Amino acid sequence: MAAAALPPGFMRLERMDLSPETAAKAESPEFPGRAISALAADPNVLEKSGSVFTTPALARDYGFTDLDGKQQSAFWDEHWAT
């Protein structure tokens, strides 16, 4: 069994009243979901066990994107560049 930490970035959710500028910096809730799906499908996931990953780092490793086609949101650029 593998265990890894995946802290999500700033997410935009339907009940949040975000300005367009703030919403553009956020990621969808599907983005970390895609990261979890990629990890679950990885036959070598045990090699990642015990580590902490960001959604953008896993997006680059596994080749998935957020709904807007990006692999990194402005939130990560401002707060934790990966």
Side-chain angles (χ1 to χ4, degrees):
M1 178 186 301
L6 180 68
F10 177 60
M11 287 190 280
R12 59 184 174 272
L13 304 171
E14 64 264 359
R15 291 184 168 242
M16 297 173 76
D17 187 23
L18 301 176
S19 70
E21 296 81 21
T22 302
K25 293 180 181 181
E27 60 191 40
S28 75
E30 287 84 0
F31 197 36
R34 290 176 177 184
I36 293 166
S37 180
L39 283 168
D42 184 349
N44 299 312
V45 71
L46 285 175
E47 295 173 6
K48 295 188 181 311
S49 192
S51 299
V52 178
F53 299 96
T54 64
T55 45
L58 290 175
R60 287 189 297 276
D61 287 350
Y62 290 110
F64 64 88
T65 63
D66 199 350
L67 298 178
D68 60 7
K70 296 178 185 174
Q71 286 187 317
Q72 183 152 327
S73 66
F75 169 85
W76 289 109
D77 291 337
E78 292 175 6
H79 299 288
W80 188 3
T82 60

